[in-house]
Amino acid sequence: MSVILTLLAAVLASGACAYHRSSLRTWAIATIVATLVVGLIAHAPWTTAILLIVELAIALPLLLVDFRRQQISLPLLKLFAKVTPKLSETEQTALEAGTVGFEGELFSGKPDWHELLKQPKPELSVEEQAFMDGPVEELCAMIDDWQITHELADLPPEVWEFIKKHRFFGMIIPKRYGGLEFSALAHSAVLQKLSTMSATVSSTVAVPNSLGPAELLLHYGSDEQKNHYLPRLAVGEEIPCFALTGPYAGSDATSIPDVGIVCRQVVDGVETLGIKLTFDKRYITLAPVATVVGLAFRMYDPEHLLGDKDDLGITLALLPRSTPGLEIGRRHFPLNIPFQNGPVRGKDVFAPLSVLIGGPHMAGHGWRMLVECLSVGRAISLPSNATGGMRASALATGAYARMRKQFGLAVARFEGVEEALARIGGLTYATAALSRATAAAVDRGEKPAVPSAIAKYHATEWARQIASDTMDVHGGKAVQLGPKNYAGRGWSAVPIAITVEGANIMTRSLMIFGQGAIRCHPYVLKEMQALSIADRGEQLKTFDRLLFGHIGFGISNAVRSFAMGLSGARLGDAAGDNYTRRYYRKLGRYSAALALCADVFMGVLGGKLKFKEKLSARLGDVLSYLYIASAMLKRYEDTGRPEADRPFLAWGFHQCMWLIQNALDGAIRNFPVRPVAWLLRALVFPLGRREVPPSDRLGRRVAALLTAPNEALERLTDWVYTTPTPNNTIGRMKALLPDVIAAEPVDRKFGKAQKAGQFASHDYLGQLAEAQQAGVISEAEADLLRHVRDGVFEFISVDDFDTDELHAFKTRADAA
């Protein structure tokens, strides 16, 4: 027993130091002291002596810095340099383009929650709120999505004019150039509100404010280019598009075959130095109406007119539509969501070097320019449009489920519908928090490359799930297209968001963990950068410090993961209140598990991990759900910890924990080196997999919040256009819902009399009159039932058409 106690003391002392990330010196002292004290008390001199010899044999070489560097770190440095895969120029640029925010804490294994909670609460300014209450409301009132999608396949002229007049295309352009200079949060809010009325309108507004000429000019344009283009872009005098994707290069943008050859050509009698461009682009949003085309191409200088290099690399230019040879083709028609989209082509199109964004000195810097701007634009546009659609679905589906009856009951009472409503409510809460967090990161000056990929992927994937649930609950109502259908076009639009700005399969498999593992890890990128230090002495010194910091980091995460797994994440201090403290502890546990698995996977597989996309995707899922859960907790804190929101928060949080557990389990189960996988499983899941999905009881509480007016629903559906105008069915449904609820007890009295056979009439209105005459219900109650029945009938009705009405476009023969 004395031997066991002495051993246990040494192990516990070492584990405690690792858990709290003590220094190497502190570990050595604490372990030796614990061994001595317990060994003497337990009367185990031989065991104590042996343990002390072992501990000193480990500690002394590590504490003698010069010896450690030469005998341990130097051989490992040589091995590291040999096995470390060389990053391509594309990968290096992508890694250096963005910044690291709170996602870096999640990769640390020991997040500092105070760093999250001290971030300022995102809020609209007075000017931005006035824009939301004024022009955005007015624009929503003008939108007839059936007219846009079916009758015109375009925005009506008055909508185009309103958008330009009120500078919707200039939200990101500074005021000194005539723009609105809105925050990213306001940009997101505008898109969310517009998307509740029309995906076509929100997409049209999103593109000029996302990755495109304005964003690129702001960061890299010359003063002359900014002064010329930005005032025109702000007021819609110029309509921009950006041409990147082509038939042979989509997500792999660095492989674009489009070329620009530096040459001289006589223009208007003057010999001009310029570029001759040949390109073929497609899927270019706003191209059919664009007046200025942003173009990505690979630039070559075979005659060395600009310097010594032949291949200058990817370069960006702005071409006026009037450029001779520039061809803007016919329109694409993306899934019946008719935002302007089409091909752009050109062969041997000559343009002066002044068209290069930033001027000739920016030739070859196009990939870096794109990556830096994409991390900002992708954080706003698609997540915001998805969030707006989800919020509208939550409001509409909750109201519809309360109004629509089957078998004498509101369909919201059926557990199958309740399950769908719970998903809609929980995922909408999570996605709203996520899009808010990424917008706030942009407003703090970050370039959130990893969070923007997380937001793009999960917002659009969850929008797909919610669109599916919305269709299921509405049934035939959502299938029959027409002016009364507010769900069908949302269902059609979902795949578009899934595929653009980095297809979701690629985003999940390659980008989230692929960039996050190196960018967010506290040591990996620094260790790789140490290899490029020219001074050998400084290189060894830096690598030694990073190496042993990394080793300690890995040991700490193993201990923390195991200890918190054993305790059910009940150890240690945590942020939050009595309700959320347990949530923060769970996130701490899985942060340690992610950091441990990431280190082991990278250490064992090395460069091969880049090709193990399914493993990378699962670890990316863990990082994503940690980030989303953190965003939900921040939202909960920023809104004053409202008790009414707790069902939404709890559902979203438990769903994230369940998905984290499944992702970790899948990654470990499929790890190819089985003994390592067995050890990881013991450290990550010492008591097995204990997380469960949100309970039916919790789901029932979430569904109840969606089907009745309440403060939590108001917060969830903020920035939804709810004014009950003739063009806004959802707004009118919301206005009727209190009357529907007030009529329910009256309807039960009336129904009871019906079942008792008290009425001679077989007609509903006749029975209603009889019920009033018999005193079953009062006159006011009868009026309420009539009012509700008429209102509900409008919302459960569907459209029908004459065949001629469905001929939205003339046939080619008619046109001829």
Side-chain angles (χ1 to χ4, degrees), residues 84-279:
T84 300
K86 181 175 177 60
L87 291 176
S88 68
E89 183 180 349
T90 298
E91 292 171 320
Q92 187 69 37
T93 300
L95 285 173
E96 294 174 352
T99 59
V100 177
F102 189 74
E103 67 276 13
E105 290 288 332
L106 298 174
F107 234 106
S108 73
K110 189 181 179 182
D112 184 352
W113 297 112
H114 300 292
E115 287 295 316
L116 174 70
L117 299 179
K118 76 179 184 182
Q119 293 171 357
K121 175 184 176 181
E123 292 183 296
L124 298 179
S125 69
V126 173
E127 180 185 7
E128 291 166 346
Q129 187 60 57
F131 190 80
M132 289 288 289
D133 296 337
V136 180
E137 279 275 318
E138 292 178 57
L139 178 55
C140 287
M142 298 170 67
I143 293 171
D144 180 344
D145 200 46
W146 178 250
Q147 179 193 41
I148 291 170
T149 58
H150 181 73
E151 297 173 1
L152 299 178
D154 191 9
L155 310 187
E158 63 272 17
V159 171
W160 276 110
E161 185 58 35
F162 188 90
I163 288 171
K164 294 175 183 179
K165 177 182 177 182
H166 292 277
R167 296 176 289 172
F168 278 83
F169 290 158
M171 287 191 284
I172 65 170
I173 296 176
K175 292 180 180 178
R176 66 181 180 274
Y177 296 112
L180 295 173
E181 199 173 346
F182 278 175
S183 66
L185 183 70
H187 179 187
S188 177
V190 171
L191 294 181
Q192 287 190 45
K193 196 161 196 172
L194 293 179
S195 68
T196 67
M197 290 300 293
S198 172
T200 305
V201 175
S202 63
S203 298
T204 300
V205 171
V207 169
N209 292 288
S210 183
L211 174 63
E215 181 84 10
L216 292 165
L217 285 169
L218 283 171
H219 287 87
Y220 311 108
S222 66
D223 288 339
E224 182 181 0
Q225 289 171 336
K226 291 177 182 178
N227 291 329
H228 176 77
Y229 280 114
L230 291 177
R232 292 168 169 80
L233 290 169
V235 297
E237 184 180 338
E238 298 274 13
I239 302 294
C241 72
F242 190 80
L244 176 61
T245 300
Y248 299 103
S251 298
D252 183 15
T254 57
S255 298
I256 53 178
D258 312 287
V259 298
I261 309 297
V262 181
C263 62
R264 296 184 187 276
Q265 184 167 312
V266 176
V267 179
D268 295 331
V270 179
E271 187 178 64
T272 303
L273 181 62
I275 44 177
K276 188 170 288 187
L277 296 155
T278 297
F279 51 91

Side-chain angles (χ1 to χ4, degrees), residues 98 130 170 232 298 317 332 335 348 397 402 474 547 550 635 650 769 776:
R232 292 168 169 80
R298 184 169 287 276
H332 298 315
L335 288 177
D348 294 334
T397 309
R402 189 71 179 256
H474 283 77
L547 172 65
H550 195 162
R635 172 193 167 120
V776 174

Side-chain angles (χ1 to χ4, degrees), residues 282-410:
R282 62 181 183 180
Y283 310 151
I284 311 306
T285 299
L286 294 186
V289 295
T291 61
V292 58
V293 177
L295 183 69
F297 60 94
R298 184 169 287 276
M299 188 166 169
Y300 295 93
D301 185 12
E303 299 180 35
H304 297 168
L305 298 175
L306 299 179
D308 297 331
K309 293 179 66 176
D310 287 331
D311 183 354
L312 298 178
I314 293 177
T315 303
L316 308 183
L318 283 181
L319 301 178
R321 188 182 184 118
S322 58
T323 302
L326 173 60
E327 176 193 348
I328 294 180
R330 301 191 305 168
R331 289 178 60 182
H332 298 315
F333 196 34
L335 288 177
N336 220 23
I337 307 298
F339 57 90
Q340 294 285 339
N341 187 273
V344 177
R345 306 182 186 93
K347 183 172 176 57
D348 294 334
V349 176
F350 182 82
L353 290 181
S354 60
V355 302
L356 300 184
I357 297 178
H361 71 281
M362 293 302 290
H365 294 283
W367 177 240
R368 177 173 61 84
M369 296 159 68
L370 288 172
V371 172
E372 287 180 348
C373 289
L374 184 62
S375 67
V376 174
R378 187 165 51 193
I380 307 299
S381 56
L382 290 169
S384 299
N385 286 345
T387 303
M390 294 165 78
R391 284 177 144 160
S393 291
L395 185 61
T397 309
Y400 183 84
R402 189 71 179 256
M403 295 177 184
R404 180 65 165 143
K405 291 187 177 181
Q406 294 285 284
F407 306 104
L409 291 173

